Amino acid sequence: MIASDLRNGVERLGDMIAEASTIVPFTGAGISTECGIPDFRSPGGLWTRNRPIPFDEFVASPDARDEAWRRRFAMEPTFAAARPGRGHRALASLYRAGKIPAIVTQNIDNLHQISGVAADHVVELHGNTTYARCIGCGHAYDLVWVKQRFDEIGGAPDCTVCDEPVKTATISFGQAMPEDAMRRATELARHCDLFLAIGSSLVVWPAAGFPMLAKNCGAKLVIINNEATEQDDIADLVIHYDIGEALGPFVGN
Ligand SMILES: [Zn+2]
């Protein structure tokens, strides 16, 4: 059922939130655009101008690693300046109220954590770009260290523990999905009574599967996205309006 206007959508969403005891949000790029984080996949987005570097290329080629890190450093002012938007803050309010056990996200921007959700309660399907990890032993590095090493040696640094390459803690194209995050996201979708798909076009696997899974396990499904999604026809409520406008009324309860 598509909300006839924003006010109608917010009212019905409010009723569904009030009735629900366990809400699982699933968030995509659309929740962070008002925070200044570009949607990398959108037409004109970063990935249409800069071909993403696949994981096997990153592993095989020092030049690819240097290029990947140069791009990441160029994005740092954008990520460092980003603050949670109304969507993040509304979900953080519902989390504090005990309605949301954890948030599943496709985003890599750390904004759910900054909004006050414990890192353990943010299930990141595509990892996190605000720190780095060794691809061999998994040792974590902060980006300041990576930048300093890069400048000292003139290229992408290797792990000080095992000598393997250090990469942002994101999931690249061609890299396996994180098993633990996938398992947790599946469990959350199966055990909620309200599933909120927010700011995702719900096309790319595995995002496409979670709304249907939640529905099949008895949850109500709400989709909030600027544009139509592939899953609109199975949703109990669809809000095709700005995410900040739709979730703003739920900030701060
Ligand atoms: Zn290592």
Side-chain angles (χ1 to χ4, degrees), residues 11-69:
E11 268 179 25
R12 292 177 53 200
L13 176 59
D15 290 343
M16 292 169 85
I17 287 173
E19 283 166 17
S21 55
T22 307
I23 302 170
V24 170
F26 177 91
T27 64
I31 197 172
S32 293
T33 47
E34 78 172 7
C35 313
I37 306 285
D39 181 354
F40 300 107
R41 288 186 168 88
S42 69
L46 205 61
W47 286 355
T48 58
R49 285 181 281 131
N50 269 336
R51 182 184 64 91
I53 296 167
F55 184 67
D56 56 352
E57 201 176 315
F58 184 93
V59 173
S61 158
D63 287 345
R65 293 199 286 280
D66 291 353
E67 174 61 15
W69 277 112

Tab-separated table of all heavy atoms in Angstrom, residues 11-69:
chain	number	residue	atom	x	y	z
A	11	GLU	N	1.837	9.111	9.627
A	11	GLU	CA	0.822	8.674	10.600
A	11	GLU	C	0.747	7.158	10.672
A	11	GLU	O	0.727	6.564	11.753
A	11	GLU	CB	-0.554	9.213	10.199
A	11	GLU	CG	-0.876	10.557	10.837
A	11	GLU	CD	-2.248	11.071	10.389
A	11	GLU	OE1	-3.121	10.253	10.013
A	11	GLU	OE2	-2.404	12.300	10.408
A	12	ARG	N	0.689	6.537	9.507
A	12	ARG	CA	0.570	5.070	9.485
A	12	ARG	C	1.853	4.407	9.987
A	12	ARG	O	1.798	3.390	10.685
A	12	ARG	CB	0.201	4.605	8.080
A	12	ARG	CG	-1.222	5.066	7.735
A	12	ARG	CD	-1.620	4.704	6.329
A	12	ARG	NE	-1.430	3.292	6.072
A	12	ARG	CZ	-1.336	2.777	4.855
A	12	ARG	NH1	-1.388	3.569	3.798
A	12	ARG	NH2	-1.191	1.493	4.694
A	13	LEU	N	3.000	4.995	9.646
A	13	LEU	CA	4.264	4.472	10.166
A	13	LEU	C	4.281	4.584	11.692
A	13	LEU	O	4.707	3.646	12.385
A	13	LEU	CB	5.438	5.241	9.547
A	13	LEU	CG	6.833	4.877	10.063
A	13	LEU	CD1	7.140	3.394	9.823
A	13	LEU	CD2	7.897	5.750	9.386
A	14	GLY	N	3.798	5.698	12.214
A	14	GLY	CA	3.739	5.889	13.666
A	14	GLY	C	2.891	4.825	14.345
A	14	GLY	O	3.273	4.285	15.389
A	15	ASP	N	1.764	4.495	13.758
A	15	ASP	CA	0.903	3.442	14.313
A	15	ASP	C	1.620	2.092	14.309
A	15	ASP	O	1.568	1.333	15.281
A	15	ASP	CB	-0.389	3.312	13.486
A	15	ASP	CG	-1.308	4.520	13.670
A	15	ASP	OD1	-1.104	5.272	14.654
A	15	ASP	OD2	-2.216	4.708	12.830
A	16	MET	N	2.303	1.809	13.207
A	16	MET	CA	2.985	0.508	13.098
A	16	MET	C	4.153	0.423	14.075
A	16	MET	O	4.401	-0.630	14.675
A	16	MET	CB	3.457	0.285	11.654
A	16	MET	CG	2.281	0.088	10.691
A	16	MET	SD	2.767	0.143	8.947
A	16	MET	CE	3.275	-1.550	8.690
A	17	ILE	N	4.872	1.539	14.270
A	17	ILE	CA	5.982	1.555	15.241
A	17	ILE	C	5.438	1.359	16.655
A	17	ILE	O	5.996	0.613	17.461
A	17	ILE	CB	6.779	2.878	15.125
A	17	ILE	CG1	7.620	2.864	13.845
A	17	ILE	CG2	7.669	3.098	16.345
A	17	ILE	CD1	8.328	4.185	13.526
A	18	ALA	N	4.300	1.998	16.961
A	18	ALA	CA	3.711	1.881	18.297
A	18	ALA	C	3.275	0.442	18.583
A	18	ALA	O	3.427	-0.050	19.708
A	18	ALA	CB	2.523	2.834	18.422
A	19	GLU	N	2.764	-0.237	17.558
A	19	GLU	CA	2.275	-1.611	17.742
A	19	GLU	C	3.411	-2.634	17.795
A	19	GLU	O	3.239	-3.732	18.339
A	19	GLU	CB	1.342	-1.996	16.583
A	19	GLU	CG	-0.043	-1.389	16.685
A	19	GLU	CD	-0.813	-1.516	15.370
A	19	GLU	OE1	-0.405	-2.330	14.510
A	19	GLU	OE2	-1.807	-0.785	15.213
A	20	ALA	N	4.555	-2.303	17.220
A	20	ALA	CA	5.642	-3.280	17.097
A	20	ALA	C	6.427	-3.394	18.398
A	20	ALA	O	6.575	-2.423	19.140
A	20	ALA	CB	6.587	-2.872	15.971
A	21	SER	N	6.932	-4.592	18.666
A	21	SER	CA	7.820	-4.736	19.825
A	21	SER	C	9.272	-4.914	19.385
A	21	SER	O	10.182	-4.541	20.103
A	21	SER	CB	7.378	-5.902	20.708
A	21	SER	OG	7.300	-7.083	19.954
A	22	THR	N	9.500	-5.474	18.210
A	22	THR	CA	10.868	-5.664	17.720
A	22	THR	C	10.966	-5.151	16.283
A	22	THR	O	10.411	-5.746	15.359
A	22	THR	CB	11.278	-7.153	17.753
A	22	THR	OG1	11.054	-7.660	19.067
A	22	THR	CG2	12.742	-7.322	17.391
A	23	ILE	N	11.648	-4.026	16.139
A	23	ILE	CA	11.774	-3.388	14.826
A	23	ILE	C	13.197	-3.588	14.319
A	23	ILE	O	14.162	-3.306	15.039
A	23	ILE	CB	11.491	-1.870	14.921
A	23	ILE	CG1	10.082	-1.625	15.493
A	23	ILE	CG2	11.660	-1.194	13.558
A	23	ILE	CD1	9.813	-0.162	15.836
A	24	VAL	N	13.337	-4.064	13.093
A	24	VAL	CA	14.663	-4.177	12.479
A	24	VAL	C	14.754	-3.263	11.267
A	24	VAL	O	14.052	-3.475	10.278
A	24	VAL	CB	14.995	-5.637	12.094
A	24	VAL	CG1	16.258	-5.702	11.236
A	24	VAL	CG2	15.186	-6.476	13.353
A	25	PRO	N	15.571	-2.212	11.350
A	25	PRO	CA	15.805	-1.359	10.187
A	25	PRO	C	16.907	-1.934	9.304
A	25	PRO	O	17.875	-2.508	9.796
A	25	PRO	CB	16.269	-0.031	10.795
A	25	PRO	CG	16.138	-0.180	12.275
A	25	PRO	CD	16.179	-1.645	12.562
A	26	PHE	N	16.726	-1.756	8.020
A	26	PHE	CA	17.730	-2.143	7.030
A	26	PHE	C	18.011	-0.881	6.209
A	26	PHE	O	17.113	-0.378	5.542
A	26	PHE	CB	17.168	-3.259	6.151
A	26	PHE	CG	18.098	-3.689	5.054
A	26	PHE	CD1	18.990	-4.723	5.263
A	26	PHE	CD2	18.092	-3.053	3.824
A	26	PHE	CE1	19.865	-5.111	4.254
A	26	PHE	CE2	18.967	-3.443	2.819
A	26	PHE	CZ	19.851	-4.477	3.041
A	27	THR	N	19.220	-0.343	6.289
A	27	THR	CA	19.450	0.967	5.678
A	27	THR	C	20.432	0.901	4.508
A	27	THR	O	21.367	0.106	4.497
A	27	THR	CB	19.976	1.989	6.713
A	27	THR	OG1	21.255	1.579	7.200
A	27	THR	CG2	19.015	2.118	7.892
A	28	GLY	N	20.174	1.773	3.521
A	28	GLY	CA	21.047	1.914	2.363
A	28	GLY	C	21.464	3.368	2.188
A	28	GLY	O	21.185	4.227	3.040
A	29	ALA	N	22.075	3.640	1.061
A	29	ALA	CA	22.703	4.941	0.819
A	29	ALA	C	21.759	6.124	1.019
A	29	ALA	O	22.184	7.201	1.434
A	29	ALA	CB	23.270	4.974	-0.599
A	30	GLY	N	20.455	5.922	0.746
A	30	GLY	CA	19.507	7.024	0.809
A	30	GLY	C	19.397	7.688	2.165
A	30	GLY	O	19.043	8.865	2.256
A	31	ILE	N	19.726	6.954	3.245
A	31	ILE	CA	19.609	7.560	4.578
A	31	ILE	C	20.765	8.534	4.833
A	31	ILE	O	20.668	9.405	5.698
A	31	ILE	CB	19.553	6.473	5.680
A	31	ILE	CG1	19.004	7.060	7.004
A	31	ILE	CG2	20.903	5.822	5.904
A	31	ILE	CD1	18.722	6.018	8.085
A	32	SER	N	21.853	8.415	4.072
A	32	SER	CA	23.046	9.232	4.323
A	32	SER	C	23.242	10.363	3.325
A	32	SER	O	24.167	11.168	3.485
A	32	SER	CB	24.304	8.347	4.320
A	32	SER	OG	24.308	7.451	5.408
A	33	THR	N	22.376	10.458	2.315
A	33	THR	CA	22.609	11.521	1.324
A	33	THR	C	22.421	12.899	1.937
A	33	THR	O	23.128	13.833	1.568
A	33	THR	CB	21.709	11.350	0.079
A	33	THR	OG1	20.369	11.102	0.497
A	33	THR	CG2	22.173	10.204	-0.785
A	34	GLU	N	21.502	13.039	2.918
A	34	GLU	CA	21.348	14.362	3.536
A	34	GLU	C	22.519	14.701	4.457
A	34	GLU	O	22.627	15.824	4.934
A	34	GLU	CB	19.999	14.505	4.260
A	34	GLU	CG	19.894	13.850	5.619
A	34	GLU	CD	18.591	14.214	6.361
A	34	GLU	OE1	17.715	14.860	5.768
A	34	GLU	OE2	18.459	13.834	7.531
A	35	CYS	N	23.402	13.743	4.678
A	35	CYS	CA	24.597	13.953	5.493
A	35	CYS	C	25.801	14.285	4.617
A	35	CYS	O	26.924	14.406	5.112
A	35	CYS	CB	24.910	12.709	6.305
A	35	CYS	SG	23.482	12.025	7.156
A	36	GLY	N	25.584	14.379	3.310
A	36	GLY	CA	26.663	14.741	2.392
A	36	GLY	C	27.458	13.564	1.866
A	36	GLY	O	28.461	13.737	1.181
A	37	ILE	N	27.023	12.334	2.208
A	37	ILE	CA	27.713	11.143	1.677
A	37	ILE	C	27.078	10.801	0.323
A	37	ILE	O	25.885	10.528	0.252
A	37	ILE	CB	27.550	9.929	2.617
A	37	ILE	CG1	27.981	10.260	4.044
A	37	ILE	CG2	28.284	8.717	2.062
A	37	ILE	CD1	29.459	10.333	4.264
A	38	PRO	N	27.859	10.826	-0.748
A	38	PRO	CA	27.274	10.534	-2.057
A	38	PRO	C	26.852	9.068	-2.177
A	38	PRO	O	27.419	8.199	-1.528
A	38	PRO	CB	28.411	10.849	-3.037
A	38	PRO	CG	29.662	10.759	-2.239
A	38	PRO	CD	29.305	11.097	-0.815
A	39	ASP	N	25.848	8.824	-2.985
A	39	ASP	CA	25.442	7.453	-3.311
A	39	ASP	C	26.355	6.979	-4.438
A	39	ASP	O	26.204	7.362	-5.582
A	39	ASP	CB	23.977	7.431	-3.745
A	39	ASP	CG	23.497	6.019	-4.078
A	39	ASP	OD1	24.335	5.099	-4.087
A	39	ASP	OD2	22.298	5.868	-4.330
A	40	PHE	N	27.323	6.129	-4.070
A	40	PHE	CA	28.367	5.759	-5.029
A	40	PHE	C	27.816	5.093	-6.284
A	40	PHE	O	28.392	5.168	-7.349
A	40	PHE	CB	29.368	4.804	-4.363
A	40	PHE	CG	30.040	5.405	-3.176
A	40	PHE	CD1	29.727	5.010	-1.892
A	40	PHE	CD2	30.990	6.400	-3.345
A	40	PHE	CE1	30.348	5.584	-0.795
A	40	PHE	CE2	31.623	6.981	-2.262
A	40	PHE	CZ	31.294	6.568	-0.980
A	41	ARG	N	26.674	4.402	-6.128
A	41	ARG	CA	26.151	3.633	-7.253
A	41	ARG	C	25.251	4.449	-8.175
A	41	ARG	O	24.884	3.992	-9.241
A	41	ARG	CB	25.335	2.439	-6.737
A	41	ARG	CG	26.167	1.353	-6.129
A	41	ARG	CD	25.295	0.157	-5.792
A	41	ARG	NE	26.098	-1.012	-5.460
A	41	ARG	CZ	26.538	-1.289	-4.247
A	41	ARG	NH1	26.272	-0.486	-3.256
A	41	ARG	NH2	27.258	-2.363	-4.035
A	42	SER	N	24.833	5.643	-7.711
A	42	SER	CA	23.836	6.396	-8.474
A	42	SER	C	24.435	6.932	-9.778
A	42	SER	O	25.653	7.074	-9.897
A	42	SER	CB	23.322	7.559	-7.634
A	42	SER	OG	24.347	8.514	-7.461
A	43	PRO	N	23.595	7.241	-10.765
A	43	PRO	CA	24.104	7.834	-12.002
A	43	PRO	C	24.859	9.121	-11.672
A	43	PRO	O	24.343	9.952	-10.925
A	43	PRO	CB	22.828	8.128	-12.806
A	43	PRO	CG	21.789	7.227	-12.228
A	43	PRO	CD	22.146	7.062	-10.775
A	44	GLY	N	26.063	9.268	-12.183
A	44	GLY	CA	26.878	10.437	-11.855
A	44	GLY	C	27.625	10.266	-10.551
A	44	GLY	O	28.425	11.116	-10.171
A	45	GLY	N	27.358	9.164	-9.821
A	45	GLY	CA	28.052	8.899	-8.565
A	45	GLY	C	29.503	8.521	-8.807
A	45	GLY	O	29.924	8.308	-9.946
A	46	LEU	N	30.232	8.404	-7.713
A	46	LEU	CA	31.673	8.185	-7.788
A	46	LEU	C	32.022	6.964	-8.636
A	46	LEU	O	32.993	6.961	-9.374
A	46	LEU	CB	32.206	8.009	-6.363
A	46	LEU	CG	33.676	8.345	-6.141
A	46	LEU	CD1	33.948	9.801	-6.475
A	46	LEU	CD2	34.063	8.051	-4.704
A	47	TRP	N	31.215	5.884	-8.499
A	47	TRP	CA	31.571	4.646	-9.176
A	47	TRP	C	31.329	4.701	-10.673
A	47	TRP	O	31.806	3.850	-11.405
A	47	TRP	CB	30.808	3.476	-8.557
A	47	TRP	CG	31.362	3.106	-7.223
A	47	TRP	CD1	32.465	3.641	-6.629
A	47	TRP	CD2	30.879	2.131	-6.317
A	47	TRP	NE1	32.681	3.066	-5.416
A	47	TRP	CE2	31.731	2.142	-5.195
A	47	TRP	CE3	29.797	1.238	-6.353
A	47	TRP	CZ2	31.533	1.305	-4.116
A	47	TRP	CZ3	29.606	0.400	-5.271
A	47	TRP	CH2	30.473	0.431	-4.159
A	48	THR	N	30.521	5.654	-11.135
A	48	THR	CA	30.361	5.759	-12.580
A	48	THR	C	31.512	6.567	-13.179
A	48	THR	O	31.784	6.465	-14.360
A	48	THR	CB	29.014	6.404	-12.961
A	48	THR	OG1	28.931	7.686	-12.355
A	48	THR	CG2	27.845	5.552	-12.500
A	49	ARG	N	32.191	7.365	-12.336
A	49	ARG	CA	33.342	8.117	-12.843
A	49	ARG	C	34.645	7.366	-12.610
A	49	ARG	O	35.547	7.368	-13.432
A	49	ARG	CB	33.402	9.502	-12.164
A	49	ARG	CG	32.349	10.465	-12.709
A	49	ARG	CD	32.432	11.827	-12.046
A	49	ARG	NE	31.806	11.821	-10.730
A	49	ARG	CZ	32.359	12.298	-9.622
A	49	ARG	NH1	33.565	12.804	-9.656
A	49	ARG	NH2	31.707	12.274	-8.485
A	50	ASN	N	34.757	6.728	-11.430
A	50	ASN	CA	35.933	5.950	-11.081
A	50	ASN	C	35.553	4.487	-10.985
A	50	ASN	O	34.851	4.104	-10.054
A	50	ASN	CB	36.466	6.384	-9.710
A	50	ASN	CG	37.502	7.479	-9.814
A	50	ASN	OD1	38.150	7.628	-10.836
A	50	ASN	ND2	37.652	8.228	-8.752
A	51	ARG	N	36.022	3.679	-11.906
A	51	ARG	CA	35.700	2.248	-11.843
A	51	ARG	C	36.171	1.693	-10.496
A	51	ARG	O	37.307	1.919	-10.086
A	51	ARG	CB	36.459	1.537	-12.968
A	51	ARG	CG	36.219	0.052	-13.081
A	51	ARG	CD	37.119	-0.537	-14.167
A	51	ARG	NE	38.545	-0.412	-13.805
A	51	ARG	CZ	39.237	-1.327	-13.144
A	51	ARG	NH1	38.654	-2.444	-12.752
A	51	ARG	NH2	40.516	-1.157	-12.846
A	52	PRO	N	35.273	0.977	-9.771
A	52	PRO	CA	35.708	0.396	-8.491
A	52	PRO	C	36.846	-0.592	-8.715
A	52	PRO	O	36.886	-1.261	-9.747
A	52	PRO	CB	34.463	-0.324	-7.974
A	52	PRO	CG	33.326	0.144	-8.792
A	52	PRO	CD	33.879	0.646	-10.088
A	53	ILE	N	37.746	-0.662	-7.758
A	53	ILE	CA	38.872	-1.587	-7.866
A	53	ILE	C	38.462	-2.918	-7.230
A	53	ILE	O	38.214	-2.971	-6.032
A	53	ILE	CB	40.116	-1.010	-7.156
A	53	ILE	CG1	40.551	0.277	-7.875
A	53	ILE	CG2	41.236	-2.037	-7.114
A	53	ILE	CD1	41.559	1.117	-7.122
A	54	PRO	N	38.368	-3.991	-8.038
A	54	PRO	CA	37.948	-5.287	-7.476
A	54	PRO	C	38.996	-5.826	-6.512
A	54	PRO	O	40.181	-5.484	-6.603
A	54	PRO	CB	37.817	-6.200	-8.701
A	54	PRO	CG	37.965	-5.330	-9.898
A	54	PRO	CD	38.670	-4.084	-9.470
A	55	PHE	N	38.531	-6.709	-5.617
A	55	PHE	CA	39.393	-7.218	-4.554
A	55	PHE	C	40.634	-7.916	-5.102
A	55	PHE	O	41.749	-7.687	-4.624
A	55	PHE	CB	38.595	-8.170	-3.655
A	55	PHE	CG	39.372	-8.679	-2.479
A	55	PHE	CD1	39.766	-7.809	-1.467
A	55	PHE	CD2	39.715	-10.019	-2.379
A	55	PHE	CE1	40.486	-8.271	-0.374
A	55	PHE	CE2	40.440	-10.482	-1.286
A	55	PHE	CZ	40.816	-9.615	-0.287
A	56	ASP	N	40.461	-8.767	-6.133
A	56	ASP	CA	41.632	-9.526	-6.625
A	56	ASP	C	42.689	-8.602	-7.222
A	56	ASP	O	43.885	-8.857	-7.122
A	56	ASP	CB	41.212	-10.627	-7.616
A	56	ASP	CG	40.428	-10.099	-8.800
A	56	ASP	OD1	40.074	-8.895	-8.796
A	56	ASP	OD2	40.163	-10.873	-9.738
A	57	GLU	N	42.224	-7.484	-7.813
A	57	GLU	CA	43.173	-6.507	-8.362
A	57	GLU	C	43.924	-5.800	-7.231
A	57	GLU	O	45.133	-5.552	-7.333
A	57	GLU	CB	42.382	-5.495	-9.205
A	57	GLU	CG	43.210	-4.757	-10.221
A	57	GLU	CD	42.326	-3.843	-11.072
A	57	GLU	OE1	41.241	-4.305	-11.518
A	57	GLU	OE2	42.720	-2.686	-11.273
A	58	PHE	N	43.195	-5.475	-6.167
A	58	PHE	CA	43.823	-4.841	-4.998
A	58	PHE	C	44.916	-5.747	-4.435
A	58	PHE	O	46.015	-5.298	-4.110
A	58	PHE	CB	42.750	-4.563	-3.923
A	58	PHE	CG	43.251	-3.836	-2.710
A	58	PHE	CD1	43.178	-2.455	-2.616
A	58	PHE	CD2	43.809	-4.542	-1.646
A	58	PHE	CE1	43.638	-1.783	-1.493
A	58	PHE	CE2	44.286	-3.882	-0.515
A	58	PHE	CZ	44.200	-2.492	-0.439
A	59	VAL	N	44.618	-7.039	-4.337
A	59	VAL	CA	45.574	-7.989	-3.769
A	59	VAL	C	46.792	-8.147	-4.685
A	59	VAL	O	47.932	-8.193	-4.235
A	59	VAL	CB	44.901	-9.370	-3.549
A	59	VAL	CG1	45.926	-10.420	-3.111
A	59	VAL	CG2	43.777	-9.254	-2.521
A	60	ALA	N	46.539	-8.184	-6.011
A	60	ALA	CA	47.611	-8.524	-6.955
A	60	ALA	C	48.511	-7.342	-7.299
A	60	ALA	O	49.679	-7.528	-7.629
A	60	ALA	CB	46.993	-9.093	-8.242
A	61	SER	N	47.978	-6.117	-7.228
A	61	SER	CA	48.698	-4.995	-7.819
A	61	SER	C	49.002	-3.877	-6.823
A	61	SER	O	48.090	-3.233	-6.293
A	61	SER	CB	47.854	-4.425	-8.973
A	61	SER	OG	48.222	-3.092	-9.254
A	62	PRO	N	50.289	-3.607	-6.592
A	62	PRO	CA	50.655	-2.463	-5.732
A	62	PRO	C	50.106	-1.146	-6.280
A	62	PRO	O	49.696	-0.282	-5.496
A	62	PRO	CB	52.186	-2.474	-5.755
A	62	PRO	CG	52.566	-3.862	-6.130
A	62	PRO	CD	51.472	-4.367	-7.032
A	63	ASP	N	50.091	-0.999	-7.614
A	63	ASP	CA	49.549	0.240	-8.198
A	63	ASP	C	48.071	0.401	-7.850
A	63	ASP	O	47.602	1.505	-7.573
A	63	ASP	CB	49.703	0.229	-9.729
A	63	ASP	CG	51.152	0.445	-10.156
A	63	ASP	OD1	51.962	0.871	-9.303
A	63	ASP	OD2	51.466	0.178	-11.332
A	64	ALA	N	47.318	-0.696	-7.901
A	64	ALA	CA	45.895	-0.646	-7.563
A	64	ALA	C	45.719	-0.255	-6.097
A	64	ALA	O	44.813	0.508	-5.750
A	64	ALA	CB	45.223	-1.994	-7.842
A	65	ARG	N	46.590	-0.784	-5.230
A	65	ARG	CA	46.499	-0.446	-3.802
A	65	ARG	C	46.796	1.041	-3.580
A	65	ARG	O	46.099	1.721	-2.813
A	65	ARG	CB	47.465	-1.310	-2.980
A	65	ARG	CG	47.077	-2.766	-2.959
A	65	ARG	CD	47.726	-3.515	-1.809
A	65	ARG	NE	49.162	-3.797	-1.985
A	65	ARG	CZ	49.640	-4.796	-2.727
A	65	ARG	NH1	48.805	-5.593	-3.381
A	65	ARG	NH2	50.941	-5.005	-2.812
A	66	ASP	N	47.826	1.531	-4.272
A	66	ASP	CA	48.139	2.966	-4.145
A	66	ASP	C	46.946	3.807	-4.587
A	66	ASP	O	46.570	4.777	-3.921
A	66	ASP	CB	49.354	3.334	-5.006
A	66	ASP	CG	50.647	2.720	-4.476
A	66	ASP	OD1	50.612	2.129	-3.377
A	66	ASP	OD2	51.666	2.827	-5.185
A	67	GLU	N	46.348	3.423	-5.737
A	67	GLU	CA	45.215	4.177	-6.279
A	67	GLU	C	44.016	4.106	-5.324
A	67	GLU	O	43.340	5.111	-5.086
A	67	GLU	CB	44.844	3.639	-7.667
A	67	GLU	CG	43.592	4.236	-8.297
A	67	GLU	CD	43.661	5.746	-8.540
A	67	GLU	OE1	44.781	6.321	-8.486
A	67	GLU	OE2	42.593	6.345	-8.769
A	68	ALA	N	43.761	2.923	-4.778
A	68	ALA	CA	42.634	2.771	-3.845
A	68	ALA	C	42.818	3.695	-2.642
A	68	ALA	O	41.866	4.346	-2.195
A	68	ALA	CB	42.525	1.320	-3.378
A	69	TRP	N	44.030	3.763	-2.115
A	69	TRP	CA	44.266	4.617	-0.949
A	69	TRP	C	44.229	6.097	-1.308
A	69	TRP	O	43.713	6.913	-0.544
A	69	TRP	CB	45.568	4.234	-0.240
A	69	TRP	CG	45.356	3.092	0.690
A	69	TRP	CD1	45.844	1.824	0.582
A	69	TRP	CD2	44.536	3.097	1.871
A	69	TRP	NE1	45.390	1.051	1.627
A	69	TRP	CE2	44.591	1.805	2.426
A	69	TRP	CE3	43.754	4.066	2.507
A	69	TRP	CZ2	43.893	1.457	3.587
A	69	TRP	CZ3	43.063	3.721	3.665
A	69	TRP	CH2	43.136	2.439	4.192
